[in-house]
Amino acid sequence: MALCALAACASTPKRAAFTSADLAVARVIEGDDVRFWTDDTPAAYRKWGEALLRQRGTVGAMRLLALSGGSDKGAYSAGLLNGWTERGSRPVFDIVTGVSTGALIAPFAFLGSAEDRSLTSIYTGIDSDSIFRPHVLSGLLGGSSLLDTKPLQALIARHVTPAFLARIAAEHRRGRRLLVLTTNLDAQRGVVWDMGAIAASGSPRSAALFRDVLLASASIPGAFPPVMVDVTGNGRPFAEMHVDGGAIGGFFVMPRAMLDAATDPSSANGAVQILYNGRIAPQFEVVKPKTFDIMSRALSTVLGEIDRSTVADLRRYARERRIAFSLCAIGNDFGEPAGKLFDPAYMRALYDYGLRTGKTGGCLAPEQPRAPEQPK
């Protein structure tokens, strides 16, 4: 009887019915589009790119920073960005993208070194209690997740203030872009959110939507509850279900059609810098013959191979477009064993490792783009 009562408490409310046609035209706030499907049409991206180029007032070289997922390993990128500032060579990026923990870092990286202290505080001053609370039983008995992310919601809200959003909006109007990836589970498609456009929209929902998108991008399906985003399509209000952008990819530079629309193919087109919050190379480990160890190892193998393939594809694309490309990832010289998730000692060690990496700058040196071959 007690279990039945708990199951009743854990049950989630019914969702309003909607169709794929409703979803295709759904609007989240009034005004200009603030999001795109990762597989959207070239025409949609051209419109986005034209608006970007009008605001910049120029075409040509742009710098893009892509921040990957990686949960507590986001401490690596936080440290690296701080070290890069201390090195004195950290550029202002025209476009910053983020996935999962990278989405949480992205707004601070977008605003530059003035937010380095905030990143340090977030990634060295928290533990698991700052991110989630367990409610495993209710999750197993009909709920939407095993963990409750109210602490993470409060952490995001403390930092994403009206003043913070105003600064994001000001940079957006200058022609810079902050993009975050979520996964729409209803559509099984990735969604690119233009966070600067949300901040600059003037909508009364802008602050709540901005926070919800960051939360959704970091919401691991099953572990963290999905984020429901209220929209209207074909005159019908309904809620979309969004989860971790990592379900689509560990990081994203931008859909190619979007990148093509925002750059000038007749000249060298700046640089792409990826900060990968993990180890990009395969790692040897003797796996315990236990169910969850085997499942975890298999999943990490699949995701790692996808990311390696994406890196190789991006490297080829960058060479074709004469874009300088560089990748920073956790190396084999970092030997601190991982403890429990969001372990403060582990995160501090990883932050310090990233800090040293940023100061030395080895991985930040770009692979120089190749000049086009001259006809013989």
Side-chain angles (χ1 to χ4, degrees):
M1 290 176 63
L3 288 175
C4 288
L6 283 171
C9 292
S11 62
T12 55
K14 291 183 179 180
R15 301 179 62 193
F18 62 96
T19 67
S20 60
D22 297 330
L23 187 60
V25 296
R27 304 282 293 183
V28 64
I29 56 177
E30 293 301 321
D32 294 336
D33 288 333
V34 297
R35 60 183 188 166
F36 306 86
W37 297 112
T38 52
D39 57 353
D40 216 331
T41 64
Y45 291 133
R46 278 196 298 274
K47 180 181 177 182
W48 181 88
E50 288 166 0
L52 169 59
L53 295 177
R54 279 197 305 273
Q55 284 184 313
R56 292 184 77 220
T58 182
V59 296
M62 286 201 295
R63 290 180 175 272
L64 185 145
L65 174 67
L67 296 150
S68 85
S71 192
D72 54 359
K73 295 180 181 64
Y76 168 69
S77 283
L80 194 149
L81 288 167
N82 275 261
W84 201 350
T85 297
E86 292 187 28
R87 181 179 171 81
S89 59
R90 179 175 163 185
V92 174
F93 288 95
D94 301 286
I95 299 172
V96 177
T97 74
V99 176
S100 198
T101 196
L104 301 179
I105 297 169
F108 302 97
F110 182 72
L111 290 177
S113 57
E115 292 296 330
D116 283 355
R117 286 188 179 181
S118 295
L119 278 179
T120 301
S121 173
I122 291 170
Y123 281 92
T124 65
I126 64 169
D127 57 17
S128 60
D129 291 338
S130 308
I131 304 298
F132 59 79
R133 299 190 188 101
H135 60 177
V136 176
L137 188 58
S138 62
L140 293 174
L141 295 175
S144 61
S145 67
L146 302 176
L147 304 170
D148 174 16
T149 54
K150 285 188 175 63
L152 177 56
Q153 294 174 43
L155 179 65
I156 292 172
R158 281 200 301 273
H159 289 276
V160 181
T161 62
F164 187 87
L165 285 179
R167 292 166 60 201
I168 297 283
E171 294 303 312
H172 176 82
R173 294 187 186 103
R174 289 177 53 199
R176 299 178 63 217
R177 291 295 182 266
L178 171 62
L179 307 175
V180 164
L181 179 68
T182 68
T183 301
N184 184 314
L185 275 189
D186 301 310
Q188 292 189 314
R189 298 168 75 185
V191 179
V192 179
W193 296 83
D194 190 331
M195 305 298 280
I198 294 173
S201 68
S203 169
R205 289 187 59 195
S206 60
L209 180 60
F210 195 103
R211 294 167 185 158
D212 282 348
V213 172
L214 294 184
L215 179 65
S217 187
S219 292
I220 305 165
F224 292 177
V227 175
M228 308 306 294
V229 178
D230 291 329
V231 298
T232 302
N234 289 325
R236 179 181 301 178
F238 57 93
E240 301 172 348
M241 182 180 288
H242 288 260
V243 298
D244 198 328
I248 295 296
F251 63 93
F252 80 107
V253 166
M254 281 198 308
R256 301 303 156 77
M258 183 180 275
L259 190 58
D260 289 343
T263 55
D264 177 7
S266 66
S267 63
N269 286 306
V272 169
Q273 174 71 59
I274 299 172
L275 301 189
Y276 189 83
N277 295 303
R279 302 180 192 269
I280 196 68
Q283 301 295 307
F284 174 80
E285 178 185 326
V286 178
V287 182
K288 295 178 182 179
K290 295 184 177 180
T291 301
F292 288 108
D293 291 277
I294 294 169
M295 291 172 63
S296 175
R297 183 68 170 175
L299 179 60
S300 66
T301 299
V302 171
L303 296 177
E305 183 59 28
I306 291 172
D307 286 347
R308 285 188 289 275
S309 177
T310 302
V311 166
D313 185 40
L314 282 170
R315 184 175 282 117
R316 286 191 296 269
Y317 177 82
R319 287 173 178 171
E320 291 170 1
R321 295 296 300 265
R322 291 184 290 153
I323 298 171
F325 178 86
S326 50
L327 169 71
C328 290
I330 300 170
N332 291 330
D333 55 336
F334 179 73
E336 183 77 14
K340 64 179 183 179
L341 197 60
F342 296 101
D343 175 65
Y346 174 74
M347 293 177 71
R348 182 76 223 196
L350 194 50
Y351 173 90
D352 290 340
Y353 173 79
L355 186 70
R356 294 191 298 272
T357 301
K359 287 180 179 180
T360 59
C363 65
L364 299 171
E367 304 169 12
Q368 293 300 320
R370 297 176 179 176
E373 294 184 5
Q374 299 297 321
K376 297 180 180 179

